[in-house]
Amino acid sequence: MAESEFTQEIRPPKNTIGVLPWIKENLFSSWYNTLLTVIALGILFFLLKGVFTWAFTEAKWEVIPANLQLFAIGAYPIAEVWRVWIVLYTVCALIGLSGGIWGGLTLRFAVGIGGCGIVCAFLSMGISTLGWAIRAWVLGGVALLAALLFLGTRSVSVFPKIRRWVLVGWLLSFPWTLIMLRGFGKNAVLTTNWGGLLLTLILAAVGICFCFPLGVLLALGRRSTLPVVKWVSTAYIEIVRGVPLITILFMAQIVIPIFMSDNIRLDKVLRAMLGITLFSAAYMAENVRGGLQSIPRGQYEAAQAVGLNYPLTMLFIVLPQALRSVIPAIVGQFIALFKDTSLVTIVGLLDLLGIAKTVIANPDWLGLQAEVYIFVAAIYFVFSYSMSYVSQRIEEALGVGKI
Amino acid sequence: MSTLENATNDPIIVCEDVHKWFDDFHVLKGVTTSFRKGERAVICGPSGSGKSTFIRTLNRLEEHQRGKIVVDGIELTNDLRNIDLIRREVGMVFQQFNLFPHLTNLQNITLGPIRVRKMPKSEAESVALALLERVDIADQAEKYPAEISGGQQQRVAIARALAMEPKIMLFDEPTSALDPEMITEVLDVMRELAHSGMTMLVVTHEMGFAREVADRVLFFDEGLIVEEAAPAEFFDNPQHERTKLFISQTLQH
């Protein structure tokens, strides 16, 4: 007890400088600093004044709520929208369950998604033209998420294998989403009608989830001692990295059908997914390779000495450390991929940006480019920043740079 | 003093004319020796003499290019299955510990038994805890390697190797990277292990340990075994000029 009094840490003295002295010291310390401050403030004032006057008096934001459905799902027929809701509910259920089971960061993510849903359902009341039905759907999704979250927290002790099943569920959610959105028979919604944010998110999700394992395999391949594997991986990575994404998308849309027989017709969206995934995998491989190079030789030797073979060494020793050290680069690649999906506009798919272009081209909304593009940019930013935020939290949770 | 009481006559490691090159550099120039089951051998020699490379060829961390190595009846060749079999029988402790930094001390120990020996997790953990108890750091089980001292890390590394229930333990300068006050705690663990009858090959500069524990001391110089003898004879009556010089230099301090 008495000891702790002596060993108590002494904190550095508090910074006692107030606001005014700080301003004086940092902004007006000499005549030229004063001059610079005044000029900067002046420029800032005129810029902000321009932006605010435009945003609050001149801009015609009506274009956004009036076309909200287009932005969200493109030309997806309204009678079949229930399919989209089912897909969203599936994802909500999986997020809730995962949050409940794994806790920690996953739990916070699930709660965050739920919070966003509630905000969407209530905050925009009065501003947006969101119908009551949509609000009800959203709240229903949040309720489902919350219920499964609760169920998840309880299920682990009763049914320990549930973790494995939820992972399987996540894997199955990809084919499930595609099948559900498309449907069969005369009510089938062809992928040419998929659009807006829905298409952007599907392209990005498929790209992110499949380019990652592919990239890891390519990175391991490039470092392999087997000459053929090494040569093929290196050639693939270098060729793909030497070609712009647009070229690959064009090749996927135009060149592949030439080589394929007429009875096999790959779906247009599927071809775009393939192009994006294969393109990103090459970059992902190089990111992962950077992480692999940072693992000292002693780790491999220790793993071998314990008796682990190559796959086990990679899976349990090398990759966990290598990937952890390159999380920022990997998430950067994910964000780039998410934004790059906007290039599919060029091959005739109407993703979020494509829809923006069609809205602007509509005679009813002529001359409203600025409003539409700002809105679209804001959506891209929200998703990209969320990814960046989550990656920072993951880095913290895994203690990157701590050891 | 040093008896061969727990060393039998069956050789467990046999090396015949082992050669190793690093590019043009001829590291091992024909090493021929054998080790008996339960034998405790200390390998010493000046740096660059090939002693570390030699024990690393015994579990194929380094490949020998000529000669023959037979460990526990299995010859080391390029056959991956043989290499895997031998590595299960041979534990190794490194100069730089080489613990897995992303796993707790307990997980470091249980990884091999669970993944290689397919031991159930609960059983592997109780084995690991018993081993941590044996190396006297049971209270550090849930910590990460970066959170404990070098001496403690090396003891975890010894426990990790023991968890695979090896027949042979290789030590590659286990105390060279440690602060002086931590050397004793690691040597104590090794001493205890030696008394338990484990076959041990130890590359070390700890001559006191060699004199006290070893059945045989092997002196390496320029890729060859220059002299091998029981410690009493090795230290008190060295035959070779190079050995005499080495002993006089190491015993000066």
Side-chain angles (χ1 to χ4, degrees):
Chain A
M1 276 300 180
E3 238 180 344
S4 67
E5 278 172 37
F6 295 104
T7 53
Q8 245 177 14
E9 252 182 66
I10 299 166
R11 289 173 169 280
K14 266 196 178 159
N15 193 351
T16 45
I17 299 172
V19 181
L20 279 176
W22 185 89
I23 288 176
K24 193 177 175 210
E25 190 182 312
N26 288 286
L27 301 177
F28 299 99
S29 55
S30 59
W31 67 266
Y32 57 85
N33 269 355
T34 312
L35 187 71
L36 284 176
T37 304
V38 169
I39 291 174
L41 278 177
I43 294 172
L44 208 61
F45 174 75
F46 280 106
L47 272 177
L48 285 180
K49 185 171 172 256
V51 170
F52 275 97
T53 3
W54 176 82
F56 288 108
T57 59
E58 293 165 29
K60 295 196 175 68
W61 293 111
E62 312 87 89
V63 62
I64 307 302
N67 292 294
L68 209 53
Q69 189 197 323
L70 267 180
F71 284 121
I73 55 173
Y76 205 90
I78 201 76
E80 302 289 327
V81 160
W82 57 272
R83 297 170 186 279
V84 180
W85 286 114
I86 287 186
V87 166
L88 282 178
Y89 272 39
T90 311
V91 175
C92 276
L94 283 170
I95 290 176
L97 213 50
S98 308
I101 292 170
W102 277 285
L105 203 62
T106 336
L107 178 65
R108 276 161 65 189
F109 179 73
V111 171
I113 295 284
C116 289
I118 293 176
V119 169
C120 283
F122 287 112
L123 191 82
S124 56
M125 236 181 250
I127 314 170
S128 84
T129 52
L130 236 51
W132 283 108
I134 293 179
R135 290 180 205 278
W137 274 111
V138 171
L139 284 178
V142 174
L144 181 70
L145 189 146
L148 279 167
L149 201 150
F150 181 72
L151 209 67
T153 51
R154 292 302 161 91
S155 64
V156 184
S157 51
V158 189
F159 183 52
K161 281 201 172 160
I162 191 154
R163 292 160 193 260
R164 200 168 299 169
W165 285 109
V166 172
L167 285 179
V168 172
W170 274 111
L171 258 170
L172 290 179
S173 69
F174 284 97
W176 166 249
T177 299
L178 299 184
I179 291 166
M180 198 62 221
L181 285 178
R182 192 173 183 282
F184 289 103
K186 62 180 171 61
N187 284 335
V189 182
L190 296 179
T191 53
T192 35
N193 289 328
W194 299 11
L197 187 59
L198 175 71
L199 181 60
T200 298
L201 289 181
I202 289 176
L203 287 174
V206 169
I208 286 172
C209 291
F210 289 94
C211 83
F212 179 64
L214 204 57
V216 170
L217 289 180
L218 281 168
L220 293 177
R222 190 166 186 173
R223 284 170 61 87
S224 168
T225 44
L226 305 171
V228 177
V229 176
K230 185 189 171 106
W231 189 83
V232 169
S233 307
T234 309
Y236 176 87
I237 292 169
E238 293 306 334
I239 289 171
V240 171
R241 287 207 309 163
V243 178
L245 176 57
I246 299 186
T247 318
I248 289 177
L249 288 175
F250 270 125
M251 298 234 280
Q253 299 298 345
I254 297 158
V255 181
I256 290 180
I258 295 176
F259 293 124
M260 293 204 5
S261 65
D262 280 347
N263 23 9
I264 310 169
R265 298 204 125 240
L266 265 183
D267 188 274
K268 208 175 179 185
V269 171
L270 208 61
R271 275 181 274 158
M273 283 174 184
L274 219 62
I276 291 171
T277 307
L278 295 180
F279 176 79
S280 297
Y283 285 87
M284 188 56 66
E286 287 301 276
N287 287 337
V288 173
R289 195 165 67 95
L292 291 176
Q293 275 168 344
S294 72
I295 305 301
R297 187 159 163 231
Q299 291 290 306
Y300 291 90
E301 291 181 349
Q304 287 171 351
V306 173
L308 298 176
N309 56 21
Y310 178 83
L312 290 175
T313 304
M314 287 300 151
L315 200 59
F316 293 108
I317 306 301
V318 176
L319 281 177
Q321 297 182 61
L323 294 179
R324 186 187 294 198
S325 68
V326 291
I327 288 173
I330 289 175
V331 175
Q333 182 61 35
F334 287 166
I335 291 174
L337 183 150
F338 175 70
K339 294 186 294 183
D340 283 350
T341 56
S342 57
L343 287 172
V344 297
T345 318
I346 295 171
V347 290
L349 292 176
L350 293 177
D351 73 319
L352 188 57
L353 194 68
I355 288 291
K357 283 185 179 165
T358 58
V359 168
I360 293 162
N362 184 337
D364 293 346
W365 308 106
L366 270 185
L368 298 181
Q369 286 99 324
E371 290 86 342
V372 170
Y373 281 133
I374 286 174
F375 174 70
V376 168
I379 291 183
Y380 276 112
F381 174 77
V382 165
F383 279 95
S384 301
Y385 184 73
S386 307
M387 279 193 260
S388 170
Y389 181 82
V390 169
S391 105
Q392 286 168 30
R393 294 289 89 78
I394 292 176
E395 281 172 45
E396 271 173 28
L398 293 178
V400 174
K402 225 173 31 183
I403 299 165
Chain B
M1 277 288 237
S2 69
T3 60
L4 293 174
E5 66 203 12
N6 58 7
T8 64
N9 284 323
D10 313 331
I12 194 165
I13 300 174
V14 179
C15 303
E16 281 173 23
D17 193 31
V18 174
H19 286 261
K20 164 83 189 165
W21 284 264
F22 285 121
D23 295 324
D24 288 340
F25 181 50
H26 201 168
V27 201
L28 299 178
K29 298 174 181 168
V31 177
T32 303
T33 186
S34 66
F35 300 91
R36 291 179 304 278
K37 211 172 264 180
E39 183 175 358
R40 294 149 304 193
V42 163
I43 300 167
C44 58
S47 58
S49 60
K51 55 192 192 304
S52 277
T53 310
F54 171 66
I55 72 161
R56 286 159 60 85
T57 57
L58 299 180
N59 67 345
R60 200 63 166 191
L61 290 183
E62 304 289 356
E63 198 177 321
H64 61 286
Q65 281 113 2
R66 199 201 297 169
K68 188 173 166 188
I69 300 176
V70 180
V71 178
D72 198 25
I74 306 167
E75 189 182 348
L76 269 176
T77 56
N78 278 325
D79 189 337
L80 286 173
R81 272 169 307 171
N82 281 354
I83 295 174
D84 282 346
L85 282 178
I86 287 172
R87 282 182 180 155
R88 287 186 193 196
E89 306 302 336
V90 181
M92 186 157 196
V93 175
F94 299 88
Q95 182 178 1
Q96 300 294 341
F97 328 137
N98 292 350
L99 290 175
F100 307 127
H102 62 300
L103 301 176
T104 62
N105 296 326
L106 188 72
Q107 289 168 333
N108 262 279
I109 301 171
T110 57
L111 185 76
I114 293 175
R115 301 295 166 189
V116 181
R117 291 216 184 267
K118 309 289 179 208
M119 196 187 273
K121 193 181 170 202
S122 54
E123 192 188 334
E125 280 179 352
S126 63
V127 168
L129 282 172
L131 282 169
L132 282 173
E133 193 81 49
R134 185 171 167 191
V135 299
D136 210 20
I137 36 171
D139 49 335
Q140 311 289 346
E142 294 307 322
K143 286 192 182 166
Y144 285 88
E147 296 169 333
I148 59 177
S149 74
Q152 291 173 324
Q153 287 188 47
Q154 193 60 299
R155 286 186 280 157
V156 173
I158 293 173
R160 175 176 71 178
L162 290 176
M164 292 297 288
E165 294 173 356
K167 292 183 181 163
I168 304 159
M169 284 283 281
L170 308 175
F171 292 83
D172 186 3
E173 304 204 24
T175 54
S176 301
L178 292 173
D179 291 338
E181 71 267 30
M182 291 170 184
I183 291 178
T184 324
E185 62 187 53
V186 172
L187 289 181
D188 282 345
V189 169
M190 290 169 61
R191 214 169 270 135
E192 187 268 326
L193 194 60
H195 291 310
S196 76
M198 174 67 74
T199 310
M200 289 166 73
L201 273 63
V202 185
V203 173
T204 187
H205 298 295
E206 294 295 326
M207 291 305 137
F209 177 81
R211 198 184 263 274
E212 184 193 334
V213 175
D215 298 314
R216 179 162 55 129
V217 180
L218 293 90
F219 179 71
F220 264 71
D221 191 35
E222 297 189 345
L224 281 169
I225 298 176
V226 175
E227 185 157 356
E228 49 184 317
E233 203 186 325
F234 180 86
F235 288 112
D236 301 334
N237 188 18
Q239 301 298 313
H240 204 279
E241 281 307 315
R242 192 67 191 81
T243 323
K244 285 176 190 166
L245 183 68
F246 179 77
I247 291 171
S248 69
Q249 280 170 344
T250 43
L251 294 187
Q252 262 169 11
H253 43 262

